[in-house]
Amino acid sequence: MMRFAYTGRTAAGPVRGELEGASAGAVADALLARGVTPLTIEADRPDPDAATLAMPSWPPQWLQPRVKTTDLLLFSRQLHTLLRSGVPILRALAGLQDSATGERMRSTLGEVRRSLESGIELSMSFAQHASVFNGFYVAMVRVGEMTGRLDEVFMSLFRHLEFELYMQQQVKSALRYPAFVVAAMVAAIAVINVMVVPAFATVFRSFNAELPWATQLLIGASNFTLRYGWLLALAAVAGGIALKVWVDTPPGREAWDRFRLRLPLAGRIVKKATLARFARSFALALKSGVPIERALSVTAHTVDNRHIAHKVEQMREAVERGETILRAAAASGEFTPVVLQMIAVGEETGAVDELLDEVAELYSNDVQYELKTLAQQIEPVLIVFMGVLVLVLALGVFLPMWDLGRVAFKR
């Protein structure tokens, strides 16, 4: 028995440790049985030949362009076609490596081939390249290896990536106009605070009269911006960095994902997309013959939301204690009545996988509709905010002038 050092990912966050096993594949199986998705597994005494193969390439990966979603989409579809046609996996990867257009994708596929040739499973080979193949992709490939349905899994991954790409495009399209309006408002506020209000402030002070509250508010905001603007910019940058560091921690990531589900407009879309991803991956695992407990463990890695993943892990623990899927899902408090009703009917009829597929289709369609109408939902909020801003500016600038006009008229 050899001793292997490993790093992996669970629903609670990254883990690392050591484990004894006959081979790297045996260690990977033991980790997956514990609910850990392995990322790297290295023997205490690495093979010199393997070390030679692992020599860094030039340019290094961090200087190479990132793998685009369209590249991964095309790779999944082509690999499905090749595997379905009976082409061996190594030959299929060799052909796809030669035809890859991006240098990053080509080098990644080369490293995956070398890992496969050394006896490491495909899912583990993918897991070693987390910047290209995310946890959902690796977990789905693992399901395909367990059930012998890799070709079907790659088709499911193709459809999933196609839907994710469509969602990204819809979100960009929906937020383009609101982002432009917000940027214009921020620029206008900056110009008014730095250039316009200081010029008017000198004139207003010459009135030797009490200024309206709106004018005092504008002058105060302008003075604060001129004196402490650099401090505000520094605080904003420091706050952004601190937020990024906190979100990268397991507790911070779970809290951030829970916050995303509670956002006023986007939260509903995020939750429906997450439930669609849960239903699709859970249905595929059940359809492939994976036991319920193992299917829930795999699904927890595919939902791309730490908070929901934690709830799914609690469901798995409840099912292991003898609870039904319905009771476990209801106890989590994160599943909608539609999902619970589908699970209830599925348990009664023995068709949980088919009904979960219906749930995934339902929420996928809902997400598409919500994204198409997102801009229309944001516009009223922007209009109200712009109206309040214009009102304050108008009152702050024109009220003192009206007062001056009345005084001059009386004279």
Side-chain angles (χ1 to χ4, degrees):
M1 299 285 283
M2 296 181 61
R3 193 164 190 83
F4 294 85
Y6 68 86
T7 60
R9 187 189 302 113
T10 67
V15 294
R16 64 175 61 241
E18 294 185 351
L19 197 64
E20 289 186 353
S23 64
V27 173
D29 290 335
L31 291 174
L32 288 166
R34 299 180 183 181
V36 178
T37 299
L39 298 179
T40 61
I41 297 180
E42 298 179 355
D44 283 346
R45 295 180 181 178
D47 186 1
D49 295 335
T52 303
L53 288 173
M55 291 292 291
S57 59
W58 184 261
Q61 283 198 353
W62 61 274
L63 284 178
Q64 298 174 6
R66 295 185 62 182
V67 175
K68 299 178 181 178
T69 305
T70 51
D71 294 335
L72 200 56
L73 188 74
L74 184 61
F75 166 76
S76 303
R77 182 57 188 260
Q78 291 176 334
L79 192 54
H80 157 76
T81 303
L82 293 172
L83 293 178
R84 190 177 182 84
S85 303
V87 179
I89 183 67
L90 282 172
R91 186 185 301 174
L93 288 174
L96 293 177
Q97 180 184 359
D98 293 337
S99 62
T101 56
E103 182 61 33
R104 180 72 174 272
M105 192 67 180
R106 188 181 298 113
S107 62
T108 299
L109 292 181
E111 293 175 9
V112 169
R113 282 182 56 209
R114 287 193 289 270
S115 298
L116 282 174
E117 290 169 351
S118 64
I120 300 177
E121 295 177 336
L122 182 62
S123 58
M124 239 193 73
S125 302
F126 283 161
Q128 293 173 356
H129 304 278
S131 61
V132 178
F133 306 101
N134 58 23
F136 176 81
Y137 204 99
V138 173
M140 292 295 285
V141 172
R142 183 61 184 170
V143 170
E145 289 176 333
M146 292 166 53
T147 59
R149 298 182 177 182
L150 266 178
D151 57 337
E152 297 179 14
V153 164
F154 279 110
M155 175 52 71
S156 298
L157 285 169
F158 166 76
R159 291 171 180 163
H160 166 76
L161 290 171
E162 190 177 37
F163 177 70
E164 292 287 326
L165 184 61
Y166 171 81
M167 281 197 358
Q168 292 174 10
Q169 293 172 346
Q170 289 295 317
V171 168
K172 289 179 181 179
S173 176
L175 295 182
R176 188 176 294 119
Y177 171 71
F180 175 78
V181 172
V182 170
M185 290 170 58
V186 170
I189 292 173
V191 170
I192 290 171
N193 274 334
V194 174
M195 300 177 64
V196 178
V197 174
F200 277 99
T202 304
V203 178
F204 292 158
R205 290 194 189 97
S206 64
F207 293 170
N208 295 323
E210 184 178 356
L211 296 176
W213 65 269
T215 306
Q216 294 178 13
L217 177 63
L218 286 179
I219 294 176
S222 176
N223 292 336
F224 184 83
T225 302
L226 292 174
R227 291 179 183 177
Y228 306 107
W230 63 273
L231 188 60
L232 288 176
L234 184 63
V237 173
I241 295 174
L243 178 63
K244 179 67 169 62
V245 172
W246 177 68
V247 168
D248 287 340
T249 64
R253 185 66 190 182
E254 184 170 350
W256 175 253
D257 285 342
R258 183 169 57 249
F259 170 73
R260 288 169 55 203
L261 297 174
R262 307 291 189 266
L263 288 173
L265 292 177
R268 184 170 64 248
I269 300 175
V270 172
K271 185 161 188 176
K272 288 182 178 180
T274 304
L275 291 179
R277 191 178 291 115
F278 162 81
R280 185 179 292 111
S281 57
F282 191 29
L284 178 61
L286 292 178
K287 195 179 299 182
S288 302
V290 181
I292 293 177
E293 296 85 352
R294 187 67 177 274
L296 286 170
S297 180
V298 170
T299 303
H301 296 286
T302 66
V303 293
D304 197 26
N305 186 292
R306 288 282 178 84
H307 177 64
I308 298 296
H310 181 65
K311 296 297 183 180
V312 174
E313 286 289 349
Q314 291 179 345
M315 286 177 58
R316 179 186 60 80
E317 295 172 359
V319 170
E320 288 178 346
R321 293 194 302 265
E323 295 284 348
T324 63
I325 303 177
L326 175 61
R327 289 185 179 180
S332 69
E334 290 295 340
F335 295 94
T336 61
V338 173
V339 177
L340 296 178
Q341 289 173 7
M342 288 293 196
I343 292 177
V345 175
E347 286 188 318
E348 292 176 1
T349 60
V352 176
D353 53 348
E354 297 178 6
L355 291 174
L356 285 177
D357 271 334
E358 295 289 336
V359 170
E361 188 67 23
L362 170 67
Y363 279 129
S364 296
N365 293 333
D366 282 353
V367 168
Q368 294 181 29
Y369 175 78
E370 294 278 359
L371 288 174
K372 288 179 180 178
T373 60
L374 181 60
Q376 299 174 8
Q377 299 177 46
I378 295 176
E379 281 180 7
V381 179
L382 288 178
I383 291 173
V384 170
F385 185 74
M386 289 179 62
V388 172
L389 178 63
V390 170
L391 178 63
V392 172
L393 291 175
L395 293 176
V397 173
F398 291 114
L399 279 179
M401 293 183 177
W402 291 336
D403 291 341
L404 180 63
R406 285 198 301 269
V407 171
F409 183 76
K410 289 179 181 179
R411 290 180 179 178

